Amino acid sequence: MTPRQLTSVIGVTTGFVILVLVCVDWSPTALQDPARTLSLNAQGVLRWGENPNRIPFTVFELTLFLGVGLAFVLAGVTAWRSRPSRNPGLLLVVAGWLWLASGIRRSSDPVAFTLGVTLTLMYQPPLLQLALSFPSGRLRSRAEKAAVAFFYTSWLFAPAAGWAFFDPRLHVAVGESTSRNLLLLWDSPSLVAALGNAIRIFQISVGVAIVVVLIARWRSGTRAYRSAFLPLWLAVIVKTAATVWVSLAVIQLSGSLSSEALLWQYPATAIVPLAVLFGLWRYRFARGTLGDLMVEVGSAPVSDRLIGALRRSVHDPTLALLRWFPDQASFVDSSGVPQALPDGSTGRASMVLERHGTPVGALVFDEALQDQPQLLAAVRSATSLALENQQMEQQLRDQLIEVRRSRERIVTAGDSRRRQLERDLHDGAQQRLVAVSMELARAQRTTDSQEVQTLVGQARAELLDALDELRELARGVYPPSLRERGLAGSLTALAERSSLPMELDLRTGNGLPAHVELAAYFICAEAVTNATKYAKAAWVRICIDGNEKELRMEIVDNGIGGARPGPDGGLLGIADRAAALGGSLSIDSPEGRGTTIRAVLPFSTDPEGDLP
């Protein structure tokens, strides 16, 4: 409901109240006039005029009358503002206006009196339409639309037909009537009685039929539908019972028409809008209970307790919570079975739960709950937060497990590397140095100058080979070019040594942290080694782009693809290097289409390190 619509409703309602207050004739004769008694048709006036104990119209009755009309309008405005469809609220507002408009029957003006008696029961068709169209306010079939059109037509025709043959000034047995009926064709009490009996029986039959339809819908409806419909269902039954009571008294089938019966019409009618307000407030209380529950289960956001509380809050024991699995791109139930969301043809509705635009789950519930958008919004917010917290906890657990595994791999790799260095030193440089020592010892013992020169030359050659091997080993531990020439220079040197053509696109800037440079170099070196040894690539392209916070890398080759990180492979090692810095590394290597390695290396592993 827009502010303009609300203002219009308030203005029209205020106009009707003022009109009724202005039209009431407070003269003693008018107050005792049975023709001006609210809610009675012509036959009822004829019966009421025979009662010597009838009480006059009072301020108390006027207050009750205006209170019922305002209750309809208030309930209508509340429903209009809180429900997705304006129809239920609009029907209640129209019923309240028609109820108030019938109050001009208390006027001594013939036009106002005649219009008032014509509108006496016109507030009932909107209520019948509301009962048939609950909860959406939309009629679902042609039969229902035809029935509603028949209600409006017959309820307008019935009073006109009854008053066309009744002059109240001629047929008041006790007291007198001064009301002038402009619908009068000719006066015929017997015809009024016959028409009145037929109209009353017709209205009773319609009321009973509506109750039967509501009972049938109640029995066939879901638990959520019954819970939502219960207040209005009981109110319509109470109102119908009160109407039947007065109708039977008018046609002399059930006691006498009394003041108590007429006054009970007001609270019986007011039950209808009050039932609507109760239904709306009940869901407001449910939203408050849901909020308290989320505080209570904050330490364990998603559990059977939460789901049970959600079902109690929305009064739907069939409510189900599905979780979103990104890997499967589907919703799954508590057993892990993928489930499709209902399409609306099965009486079930669904609501996708999102956090920051990403699905985290879905709620599946009875479609009757779609009439409570504010409650569903509260449920969506609470459940989405709970699911997001659960996912974050699971991600933290997975990350902790992966950190432990990566630490184990790093320690294992370090130990393996140290053993490899020991073997390389023992089998390579150490053996050569031993050979140098032996050559020099032989040269020291010999007296032949020519042999001395030969042995010294061999020792020098062995020594140079040992130095080369030591440099190669040192390069594997920490490339000297990194310290001397930075990342760009060391990658240029790597390209010069590589047997594959390498294209470099380096925009690294200056002053890179040493640990980031080292990780970036080894990632590139491992990628080039894999492309050379295993991928059968013809070229490699390395693109590196750095800013003040991180370094972004992309290494692409045109090899055979199919690269996968293995438990003992270098790819897993470089992934651990990236993870150790708080970065990420991804490998895209489809069969026959080359390999692309992308890595992001932040300069600080502390996410708050850049904050002031």
Side-chain angles (χ1 to χ4, degrees):
M1 172 178 268
T2 63
R4 182 175 180 181
Q5 290 172 332
L6 177 61
T7 302
S8 300
V9 169
I10 294 175
V12 173
T13 304
T14 303
F16 276 123
V17 172
I18 294 174
L19 179 62
V20 171
L21 294 176
V22 170
C23 287
V24 174
D25 186 346
W26 294 99
S27 65
T29 302
L31 295 178
Q32 285 282 359
D33 191 344
R36 303 186 194 185
T37 303
L38 301 175
S39 77
L40 285 182
N41 64 1
Q43 186 188 21
V45 172
L46 193 62
R47 285 290 315 279
W48 189 231
E50 299 171 355
N51 189 340
N53 298 320
R54 66 178 185 269
I55 59 175
F57 185 72
T58 62
V59 174
F60 174 70
E61 184 176 354
L62 176 62
T63 303
L64 290 178
F65 174 82
L66 294 176
V68 172
L70 293 176
F72 273 115
V73 175
L74 176 61
V77 169
T78 305
W80 198 337
R81 290 170 61 90
S82 61
R83 292 173 179 255
S85 172
R86 70 171 186 174
N87 293 349
L90 181 60
L91 289 173
L92 287 170
V93 169
V94 171
W97 286 345
L98 291 173
W99 172 275
L100 293 173
S102 67
I104 62 176
R105 178 176 180 166
R106 299 298 313 183
S107 174
S108 295
D109 179 75
V111 176
F113 169 78
T114 303
L115 184 58
V117 298
T118 304
L119 297 176
T120 292
L121 299 179
M122 281 304 296
Y123 74 94
Q124 294 181 358
L127 299 183
L128 296 176
Q129 180 179 349
L130 177 61
L132 287 178
S133 62
F134 183 86
S136 65
R138 294 183 294 272
L139 300 172
R140 289 165 286 188
S141 65
R142 292 184 178 179
E144 290 182 350
K145 295 178 181 179
V148 169
F150 176 72
F151 293 156
Y152 281 94
T153 303
S154 58
W155 255 253
L156 186 62
F157 170 77
W163 285 89
F165 309 102
F166 179 64
D167 188 349
R169 295 172 297 180
L170 304 177
H171 302 289
V172 176
V174 180
E176 65 173 326
S177 173
T178 59
S179 300
R180 183 183 173 190
N181 174 23
L182 298 182
L183 296 174
L184 180 65
L185 298 178
W186 71 83
D187 184 65
S188 176
S190 59
L191 188 56
V192 168
L195 286 174
N197 289 339
I199 292 172
R200 286 291 183 178
I201 292 175
F202 164 74
Q203 292 177 339
I204 292 174
S205 300
V206 170
V208 172
I210 292 294
V211 171
V212 170
V213 171
L214 296 183
I215 292 176
R217 289 187 177 180
W218 171 271
R219 295 185 61 183
S220 62
T222 62
R223 179 87 173 267
Y225 175 85
R226 293 180 183 180
S227 179
F229 191 37
L230 178 61
L232 182 60
W233 187 80
L234 294 177
V236 170
I237 290 180
V238 171
K239 169 58 181 171
T240 302
T243 301
V244 170
W245 176 22
V246 174
S247 299
L248 293 177
V250 168
I251 61 179
Q252 304 180 14
L253 295 178
S254 176
S256 61
L257 188 59
S258 63
S259 300
E260 290 79 8
L262 293 178
L263 289 178
W264 269 108
Q265 287 280 358
Y266 295 112
T269 305
I271 285 178
V272 176
L274 292 178
V276 175
L277 289 177
F278 172 77
L280 296 174
W281 288 336
R282 179 186 59 172
Y283 282 109
R284 290 180 184 269
F285 296 149
R287 294 197 294 272
T289 304
L290 182 62
D292 296 338
L293 177 73
M294 289 306 301
V295 174
E296 179 183 349
V297 299
S299 58
V302 178
S303 63
D304 292 339
R305 271 177 54 196
L306 174 61
I307 297 174
L310 289 173
R311 290 172 176 172
R312 291 191 299 272
S313 297
V314 300
H315 306 285
D316 180 11
T318 66
L319 180 141
L321 175 62
L322 305 179
R323 292 173 174 81
W324 173 256
F325 271 49
D327 295 340
Q328 303 179 18
S330 64
F331 294 98
V332 299
D333 59 17
S334 57
S335 302
V337 179
Q339 299 288 337
L341 298 182
D343 56 6
S345 60
T346 59
R348 307 283 289 165
S350 63
M351 178 174 58
V352 176
L353 308 174
E354 295 182 346
R355 297 295 293 179
H356 311 298
T358 302
V360 293
L363 286 173
V364 180
F365 46 85
D366 193 286
E367 65 177 359
L369 292 177
Q370 290 181 311
D371 197 44
Q372 299 295 333
Q374 293 182 347
L375 175 62
L376 292 180
V379 170
R380 174 193 284 118
S381 177
T383 314
S384 299
L385 181 60
L387 286 175
E388 184 185 32
N389 289 343
Q390 185 190 48
Q391 286 190 351
M392 291 176 62
E393 290 181 1
Q394 185 61 43
Q395 290 174 357
L396 288 176
R397 293 191 194 99
D398 294 341
Q399 289 177 0
L400 179 59
I401 293 173
E402 183 58 31
V403 166
R404 290 172 178 170
R405 290 175 178 173
S406 65
R407 285 177 177 176
E408 293 175 357
R409 291 194 298 267
I410 290 173
V411 171
T412 302
D415 293 339
S416 176
R417 184 59 176 166
R418 282 191 291 272
R419 287 193 297 269
Q420 181 66 38
L421 286 174
E422 190 274 335
R423 286 195 301 268
D424 290 344
L425 288 172
H426 181 274
D427 297 339
Q430 181 177 339
Q431 295 294 329
R432 295 185 184 279
L433 291 175
V434 170
V436 169
S437 176
M438 294 176 63
E439 296 288 344
L440 292 176
R442 288 175 59 190
Q444 189 178 22
R445 291 193 301 268
T446 185
T447 58
D448 186 353
S449 60
Q450 184 66 33
E451 185 178 356
V452 169
Q453 291 181 356
T454 301
L455 291 174
V456 170
Q458 292 175 352
R460 181 176 182 277
E462 291 287 349
L463 187 58
L464 291 175
D465 290 339
L467 288 174
D468 290 339
E469 289 183 1
L470 288 174
R471 290 192 185 99
E472 189 64 28
L473 287 173
R475 186 179 294 109
V477 176
Y478 192 98
S481 58
L482 272 178
R483 186 182 301 108
E484 299 168 359
R485 303 166 57 187
L487 179 60
S490 62
L491 291 180
T492 301
L494 178 65
E496 292 172 350
R497 296 194 308 269
S498 174
S499 60
L500 288 179
M502 289 179 56
E503 177 186 345
L504 301 178
D505 182 8
L506 308 178
R507 298 186 295 275
T508 59
N510 298 321
L512 293 179
H515 62 283
V516 174
E517 282 189 327
L518 182 61
Y521 175 82
F522 278 118
I523 290 173
C524 293
E526 182 63 32
V528 172
T529 299
N530 286 337
T532 304
K533 289 184 177 181
Y534 310 113
K536 300 179 182 179
W539 53 263
V540 176
R541 182 173 66 249
I542 298 177
C543 300
I544 299 180
D545 185 13
N547 54 34
E548 68 278 3
K549 293 183 178 181
E550 62 187 16
L551 197 68
R552 294 183 174 274
M553 308 172 57
E554 183 178 79
I555 304 100
V556 183
D557 67 55
N558 65 340
I560 60 175
R564 299 290 184 272
D568 299 321
L571 292 179
L572 188 60
I574 62 176
D576 287 342
R577 280 187 178 273
L581 298 181
S584 62
L585 185 140
S586 64
I587 301 173
D588 182 15
S589 184
E591 296 288 345
R593 296 170 57 186
T595 299
T596 299
I597 298 176
R598 296 183 179 87
V600 178
L601 304 178
F603 295 166
S604 173
T605 57
D606 183 0
E608 297 182 358
D610 297 329
L611 295 178

